[in-house]
Amino acid sequence: MATSSIDLALNRLRETRAWKSIFRRGPARTNRTRSLAIFGNIFLHLMPVKVREQSLRARATYYLGSFSFLLFLLLTVTGILLMLYYHPAVPQAYLDMKDLRFVVSNGVFLRNLHRVGAHAMVIAVFWHMFHVFYRGGYRPPHEFNWVVGVVLMLLTLFLSYTGYLLPWDQLAFWAITVGTNIISAEPVLGHDVRFLLLGGNLVGENALLRFYVLHCVILPLVAAMFIAVHFWRIQKDGGLTLRDDHEREGHERQD
Amino acid sequence: MTAEEMGKVSKRLRATFAIASVAFVAVLAVSPVKDYFQEWKRHEKDYVRYAQTRPDTKHLLADFHSGIDQIWLPDMKVVDRCTTCHQGITQASLGDSSVPQPFRAHPVIPHPVKEWGCVVCHRGQGPATEVAEAHETTLAWEQPILPTKYIQASCGSCHRGDIPQTPQLNRGRQLLSELNCAGCHRMQEIQRPAMLGPDLSNVGNKVTREWIYKWLKEPHIVVDASGNTVVDGYQTEEEPRMPQFRLTDQEITALSAYLSSLKSHPFESYKFDPRVLASLEKRPDLAELGQERFRQMFCTTCHSLAVTRGDETKLIGGDIGPELTKVASKVNPDWLITWLRDPQSYLSHALMPRYQWSDEDLYKVTQYINEKLTDPDLLSNVPQLETPTPEDIQLGQRLFLEKGCGSCHVIEGVSPQKDFGPDLSSLGGKNVSQLEFGSAKFPRNIVSYIQAKITDPLSVNTAARMPQYRLTPADLDAITTALLSMTGNPSSSGLERLIVPRPRPGFRAAGAFGEVYERYKCYVCHRFNGYGGTLAPDLSFEGSRARRQWTIDFMKNPQTLRPTLIFRMPQFNMTDQEAATIADYLGMASQSQFVNVAGGNLKQFAPEMAAMGKQLYEVKYQCQACHTIGSSGGYVGPNLSNAGNWLNASWIEQWLKNPQALVPGAIEPRRTFTSEEIQALTAYVLTLKQSGQPKAAISGAAVTGGAK
């Protein structure tokens, strides 16, 4: 293998003390050191050390889970940028929407990226779920991860719903009014849950603040934890659920 | 597959990545490109280009800053970015109408643009930086720019009282109140007066059923056989206070039956002194005598009469009371006498003063009215009406409430529906989506909505109960302006603290003067401390102006000071006691802080001073151009023949210094007299005295003389 100047520079970097203190491993030249590199990294250890080639093929998963995760990252980044322009207050919230449109550079793009990204994430998550379901991904040993996935789907929907109120326009107001009225129709706890969500009996400033905190802090943190568990469980449960014929084909080739 | 093989990437995959990357960058580039070509940036470039063609380029460009320009008024919650495109709005040199929009400067107004922003008055969407969003109704904005024609409405949102700069708005408010809109609608700052329509509890004693029928059918216009509209005893050029309701003949029959049955307080007909009757009854010129008395008493200051001169018929006289051309065909003669003697006994809040009648005068005037102010053909087209049946009366009573008559007219024992018409107090601020257009075929905006509702209520709502109004286009626009000014409670917009409230009537006269004041209804024409009519002079400072004895004489016999005026003070036949009460009260209470009556009047002026004043009056300042002394001089200002008896010296001095400080809006020019000249002129004016009682002002001019 020809060693380019980049490789040389990288190799020199790997010899430095700082690098060694962070990664604690030498260059990943053998399967063992490669495995150690994965195990020793907080982010990479969620990933399997080895994957089957079949599971990397597009037709195996259509990368729907990855797409969902990428959209989650996109929404986090655009969401944080939007937070710089947004006050969860009445009526300033709506005026901030107007400002994003009228004076913030690329504000419309930013907002639309967040909005379209959210729509896309809901679609991707559902598609992912259907795909996994038809592949039988809920069967042992994947039962627990299926449940985690369902929770993630609900979190996605709830993130969408809480984000819907934040523009504070008529659509938002009435969507949340209708939605929370549906909650209150629930027996026994309905009214209390509604009161808890809205911080009152109608969609007002308190509701906006609660939805803002849910949308920007609580739900994303919970979702991030569940995503971590979800990824980690994939490798603990023996990798992705592949279609039987793929699996068979894989076994044959390995044999 | 070995680990080494896995790192290999196929050519196809590389190509796919390459294309995808380019496409991705292209998509991402759309947003910055759109950002670069925003409308406001184009307008800013145009402005710079335009400024370079102007002679004062340097000055204009020094004031120009690229980027979003905004006026932020946190107190008012205003963010206006209008000046981003309207760059020249404060540049005095761009005021000319040849300057293209959006760069033209705003005309000078009392509220500078930088302190008030634009949308506070013009509406529209202040934060917007796109033309359509800023000016029009869009998906997410429903308050478009207010057409400039109605811009005075915005003044009225804060200035709840009338201000001289907004004639259209003031006219609109006046119309809303004159047309009794407050009868059915709740409106911002238009108070419901004590009397809207007459009290009808006793109307059966006053008029006949036929007359009621006629009135209900055609309160507005009667057309003669050739199709011409004529003054017929009802019509004036203006809308009568009672509008035309859409009533069927059957409904009118029922209503007239009901109303003519209302005779709550029977009255006794007045018995004239038999000696007076005996002396006057036989006189052939009785009606002429009555007419003379009618004119002498200046009834026409409040009431008008139709006068035909040549081909033209018009009403001459005041509009405080009803027009009287054919009143004798309307009212019961016995009722008329009772009314003239004591209007308040029939209608407690009537505006008509309670005159001191002698039997002789009363008989003459009523004979004149009964003989001359009549039209035998008035009721000729009223069908034969039978004696009212109980069913008719019952139906009439129901209709009285259903048609909303009860909103303006009171009938004892009948309680009308509250808030008969919709609340209009926040109409002007409503969004288009809050207005009910029905199947109407006119543009969906608030101006056409308001105008359609007034001119053709059925076009908006086929079940509308609102009567038909006929307004001139100017009046229609005035009313529209007044309604647009009613934007409701501005507590949410931060403008609340800016409201300049409408002055409230605060003047109540008490004691002996209070009685006289109420009896003669002084406030109908005169203003006291900001409260009262505007027909006659404001008397708030009258005590500083006029001397006591002159005031007493004037009350007893109000000869005119301004002979060209049609409207004159009626002769009330006051007693000495009453005249003295008025003079004393005015002398005590109606003093201006600028005039020191007590000090000034002790001054003695040397005859040389008066001679010098005469010189100044006649030669240097030529006061006779406007003022009359004796029989020569102009008619613009008051007659000064008796000014020495009339005016206080200190008033004259202050007046000459600054007339407008004493009477805002006085037409007398403010001259820069030296103080010596003022002393001299005062001395001269004080020498002007007419000896003896002037003759009663007898004039037919009130009825036959010129226009208003």
Side-chain angles (χ1 to χ4, degrees):
Chain A
M1 203 191 287
T3 47
S4 62
S5 54
I6 297 173
D7 285 338
L8 274 172
L10 266 179
N11 280 336
R12 205 165 298 147
L13 189 67
R14 285 190 182 113
E15 297 302 321
T16 59
R17 195 169 165 191
W19 180 277
K20 280 181 176 166
S21 77
I22 295 168
F23 295 101
R24 298 170 64 207
R25 313 275 158 219
R29 293 209 182 95
T30 64
N31 279 353
R32 184 175 173 276
T33 47
R34 284 177 185 133
S35 304
L36 284 174
I38 301 281
F39 290 141
N41 184 300
I42 178 86
F43 299 109
L44 293 183
H45 90 281
L46 294 174
M47 299 292 167
V49 174
K50 282 184 177 178
V51 286
R52 274 169 287 174
E53 197 189 347
Q54 289 83 359
S55 61
L56 290 178
R57 289 193 180 138
R59 277 169 61 201
T61 58
Y62 298 108
Y63 311 122
L64 289 168
S66 306
F67 266 128
S68 307
F69 180 61
L70 276 175
L71 286 166
F72 180 78
L73 291 183
L74 172 83
L75 289 167
T76 308
V77 172
T78 53
I80 287 170
L81 290 176
L82 286 173
M83 280 167 80
L84 300 179
Y85 296 106
Y86 182 80
H87 305 77
V90 178
Q92 189 58 39
Y94 182 67
L95 301 178
D96 288 335
M97 295 301 113
K98 294 273 182 188
D99 274 3
L100 276 169
R101 167 161 184 188
F102 291 129
V103 286
V104 176
S105 291
N106 299 300
V108 179
F109 179 69
L110 186 62
R111 214 185 133 203
N112 282 344
L113 209 57
H114 195 74
R115 182 168 156 265
V116 174
H119 292 328
M121 183 167 163
V122 172
I123 294 169
V125 165
F126 268 91
W127 196 353
H128 177 48
M129 186 184 77
F130 287 130
H131 191 262
V132 170
F133 180 79
Y134 286 121
R135 285 281 154 87
Y138 53 87
R139 285 191 299 234
H142 302 286
E143 322 96 297
F144 180 71
N145 217 15
W146 166 260
V147 172
V148 172
V150 170
V151 170
L152 278 169
M153 182 206 69
L154 292 175
L155 283 171
T156 308
L157 291 181
F158 206 37
L159 271 164
S160 277
Y161 182 66
T162 50
Y164 210 73
L165 180 66
L166 303 190
W168 200 246
D169 54 9
Q170 286 289 313
L171 198 62
F173 179 87
W174 291 107
I176 303 311
T177 302
V178 170
T180 50
N181 280 344
I182 292 173
I183 294 172
S184 75
E186 204 180 293
V188 191
L189 277 178
H191 279 286
D192 293 335
V193 172
R194 180 171 189 267
F195 190 88
L196 184 73
L197 262 180
L198 296 183
N201 283 317
L202 43 82
V203 181
E205 200 152 27
N206 289 349
L208 183 63
L209 191 59
R210 285 186 185 207
F211 274 55
Y212 176 72
V213 172
L214 277 173
H215 185 77
C216 300
V217 182
I218 300 173
L219 292 175
L221 282 180
V222 173
M225 281 191 287
F226 271 88
I227 288 169
V229 172
H230 199 56
F231 284 8
W232 186 72
R233 277 304 288 247
I234 297 171
Q235 56 145 318
K236 292 292 155 190
D237 293 344
L240 300 174
T241 319
L242 298 175
R243 229 161 62 189
D244 290 349
D245 50 337
H246 284 196
E247 217 151 337
R248 208 175 306 119
E249 193 188 323
H251 282 301
E252 278 158 15
R253 285 186 64 175
Q254 268 192 349
D255 296 339
Chain B
M1 195 191 283
T2 63
E4 282 69 29
E5 282 169 39
M6 280 186 70
K8 298 253 166 60
V9 181
S10 71
K11 266 192 178 161
R12 211 178 117 210
L13 202 55
R14 262 180 213 279
T16 315
F17 268 122
I19 293 166
S21 303
V22 171
F24 187 60
V25 169
V27 169
L28 283 187
V30 170
S31 179
V33 168
K34 274 177 83 173
D35 216 54
Y36 182 76
F37 288 108
Q38 280 191 70
E39 280 176 56
W40 62 269
K41 290 188 179 165
R42 185 161 53 80
H43 286 300
E44 283 194 345
K45 278 177 204 136
D46 287 350
Y47 179 73
V48 172
R49 219 169 295 142
Y50 177 70
Q52 279 157 357
T53 67
R54 303 281 303 182
D56 52 347
T57 306
K58 227 177 196 172
H59 171 70
L60 291 178
L61 290 184
D63 288 347
F64 171 79
H65 304 285
S66 68
I68 300 268
D69 189 20
Q70 71 176 20
I71 297 170
W72 182 41
L73 308 166
D75 286 3
M76 284 191 262
K77 298 185 184 167
V78 163
V79 176
D80 269 13
R81 307 207 167 103
C82 313
T83 46
T84 303
C85 299
H86 292 276
Q87 280 282 351
I89 205 96
T90 54
Q91 295 291 355
S93 67
L94 299 181
D96 195 70
S97 63
S98 65
V99 176
Q101 285 291 29
F103 308 134
R104 204 175 300 156
H106 197 280
V108 178
I109 49 164
H111 302 302
V113 177
K114 292 284 174 193
E115 280 172 38
W116 293 85
C118 307
V119 294
V120 169
C121 299
H122 287 277
R123 304 193 184 178
Q125 189 176 188
T129 53
E130 292 158 32
V131 175
E133 284 284 336
H135 301 89
E136 293 162 21
T137 298
T138 63
L139 195 61
W141 192 263
E142 290 206 273
Q143 292 281 335
I145 286 276
L146 190 64
T148 324
K149 202 174 172 188
Y150 307 108
I151 197 69
Q152 289 174 15
S154 299
C155 310
S157 297
C158 297
H159 295 274
R160 298 292 171 82
D162 292 350
I163 49 175
Q165 293 90 335
T166 58
Q168 190 178 350
L169 172 68
N170 301 351
R171 170 77 181 143
R173 283 172 171 165
Q174 186 196 352
L175 281 169
L176 285 176
S177 124
E178 274 178 7
L179 299 179
N180 286 345
C181 304
C184 299
H185 300 283
R186 208 177 279 226
M187 284 176 294
Q188 180 179 294
E189 302 292 337
I190 306 281
Q191 301 299 324
R192 206 190 143 93
M195 179 170 78
L196 285 159
D199 183 328
L200 299 180
S201 312
N202 209 2
V203 72
N205 283 329
K206 177 181 175 185
V207 296
T208 61
R209 186 179 175 197
E210 283 70 23
W211 188 87
I212 296 174
Y213 185 97
K214 171 95 172 173
W215 173 256
L216 287 173
K217 195 155 177 74
E218 300 153 331
H220 196 275
I221 277 169
V222 170
V223 177
D224 68 11
S226 57
N228 297 319
T229 304
V230 294
V231 173
D232 66 347
Y234 304 115
Q235 190 217 359
T236 66
E237 284 164 11
E238 291 168 7
E239 188 82 8
R241 286 168 205 194
M242 169 130 160
Q244 182 150 22
F245 287 83
R246 289 177 292 275
L247 298 169
T248 64
D249 284 352
Q250 192 208 351
E251 285 169 337
I252 294 178
T253 310
L255 274 168
S256 63
Y258 169 60
L259 293 175
S260 62
S261 72
L262 297 171
K263 296 178 181 177
S264 62
H265 303 294
F267 65 93
E268 275 177 37
S269 42
Y270 179 68
K271 296 274 179 290
F272 285 102
D273 184 341
R275 277 169 301 169
V276 173
L277 283 184
S279 69
L280 286 172
E281 240 170 358
K282 295 283 181 300
R283 300 229 0 206
D285 58 345
L286 185 55
E288 281 72 34
L289 288 175
Q291 181 172 25
E292 190 185 311
R293 197 66 204 131
F294 185 87
R295 289 178 180 175
Q296 282 171 357
M297 292 177 74
F298 281 104
C299 304
T300 46
T301 293
C302 295
H303 298 282
S304 57
L305 294 177
V307 175
T308 306
R309 224 184 286 129
D311 296 336
E312 202 187 0
T313 302
K314 61 179 177 184
L315 290 174
I316 292 180
D319 60 357
I320 292 173
E323 172 277 325
L324 296 179
T325 318
K326 296 177 181 178
V327 68
S329 304
K330 171 183 175 183
V331 302
N332 173 347
D334 283 340
W335 177 89
L336 178 65
I337 296 167
T338 317
W339 166 266
L340 289 175
R341 293 187 63 241
D342 185 359
Q344 283 71 29
S345 74
Y346 176 78
L347 197 59
S348 59
H349 45 252
L351 292 178
M352 174 131 164
R354 196 148 43 91
Y355 287 76
Q356 298 272 18
W357 291 95
S358 64
D359 269 14
E360 200 177 321
D361 284 347
L362 186 59
Y363 187 70
K364 280 196 246 174
V365 169
T366 48
Q367 285 303 310
Y368 159 65
I369 292 173
N370 289 337
E371 271 183 43
K372 298 287 178 178
L373 302 183
T374 178
D375 176 8
D377 300 332
L378 181 65
L379 304 176
S380 59
N381 61 352
V382 174
Q384 197 61 42
L385 296 170
E386 311 290 327
T387 324
T389 63
E391 292 78 46
D392 274 347
I393 292 177
Q394 215 173 1
L395 176 62
Q397 181 163 19
R398 196 163 57 81
L399 287 169
F400 181 82
L401 292 176
E402 276 177 11
K403 297 287 175 186
C405 312
S407 297
C408 291
H409 296 283
V410 176
I411 291 178
E412 269 171 38
V414 178
S415 39
Q417 195 182 327
K418 284 260 175 279
D419 296 326
F420 190 75
D423 187 337
L424 303 183
S425 49
S426 59
L427 176 69
K430 286 219 161 102
N431 290 332
V432 177
S433 61
Q434 291 172 288
L435 306 173
E436 198 78 59
F437 281 95
S439 57
K441 297 199 173 31
F442 50 81
R444 296 288 201 262
N445 62 55
I446 190 162
V447 170
S448 29
Y449 175 81
I450 290 175
Q451 301 204 332
K453 274 285 202 182
I454 296 169
T455 54
D456 186 9
L458 295 181
S459 72
V460 185
N461 174 7
T462 47
R465 294 173 297 191
M466 170 135 161
Q468 195 87 39
Y469 285 91
R470 274 168 262 248
L471 297 165
T472 63
D475 281 352
L476 184 60
D477 284 341
I479 285 204
T480 309
T481 307
L483 287 172
L484 283 170
S485 78
M486 297 176 191
T487 47
N489 181 9
S491 60
S492 59
S493 65
L495 293 174
E496 200 169 28
R497 67 179 180 84
L498 299 176
I499 287 175
V500 184
R502 195 176 185 82
R504 300 268 168 228
F507 181 75
R508 293 209 72 77
F513 174 71
E515 275 169 36
V516 182
Y517 176 77
E518 274 302 326
R519 166 161 197 163
Y520 296 112
K521 306 284 172 195
C522 310
Y523 54 84
V524 172
C525 299
H526 291 283
R527 193 167 275 259
F528 296 85
N529 300 339
Y531 175 54
T534 52
L535 182 68
D538 186 325
L539 297 184
S540 307
F541 305 132
E542 190 61 17
S544 303
R545 170 164 37 202
R547 296 176 177 218
R548 181 173 184 276
Q549 191 53 48
W550 180 88
T551 307
I552 293 174
D553 292 344
F554 186 83
M555 290 297 144
K556 299 266 295 165
N557 186 5
Q559 87 276 28
T560 185
L561 293 164
R562 296 168 186 273
T564 52
L565 294 186
I566 291 173
F567 299 120
R568 299 201 197 147
M569 178 130 149
Q571 196 177 353
F572 296 107
N573 303 326
M574 275 184 201
T575 63
D576 293 343
Q577 179 63 39
E578 285 168 337
T581 304
I582 293 175
D584 288 340
Y585 179 86
L586 293 177
M588 287 288 287
S590 301
Q591 294 287 353
S592 167
Q593 52 173 337
F594 301 112
V595 182
N596 177 5
V597 174
N601 291 350
L602 296 175
K603 246 183 234 172
Q604 294 294 323
F605 293 100
E608 309 84 69
M609 286 290 270
M612 181 183 157
K614 186 173 163 65
Q615 190 72 14
L616 289 170
Y617 182 98
E618 284 171 0
V619 182
K620 184 163 181 194
Y621 294 109
Q622 307 225 340
C623 309
Q624 66 271 24
C626 296
H627 294 283
T628 300
I629 296 175
S631 56
S632 66
Y635 292 104
V636 177
N639 187 325
L640 297 179
S641 308
N642 199 22
N645 286 326
W646 170 29
L647 297 167
N648 282 317
S650 48
W651 173 274
I652 303 173
E653 285 175 15
Q654 287 301 321
W655 179 267
L656 291 172
K657 269 185 205 156
N658 185 355
Q660 285 75 26
L662 294 175
V663 178
I667 55 170
E668 169 124 5
R670 186 180 171 184
R671 313 292 277 268
T672 46
F673 297 115
T674 65
S675 56
E676 198 191 8
E677 285 175 333
I678 288 178
Q679 296 295 316
L681 282 166
T682 307
Y684 172 59
V685 171
L686 287 175
T687 63
L688 302 169
K689 291 185 182 179
Q690 261 173 352
S691 51
Q693 276 293 69
K695 278 179 281 173
I698 298 172
S699 168
V703 171
T704 53
K708 267 190 200 180

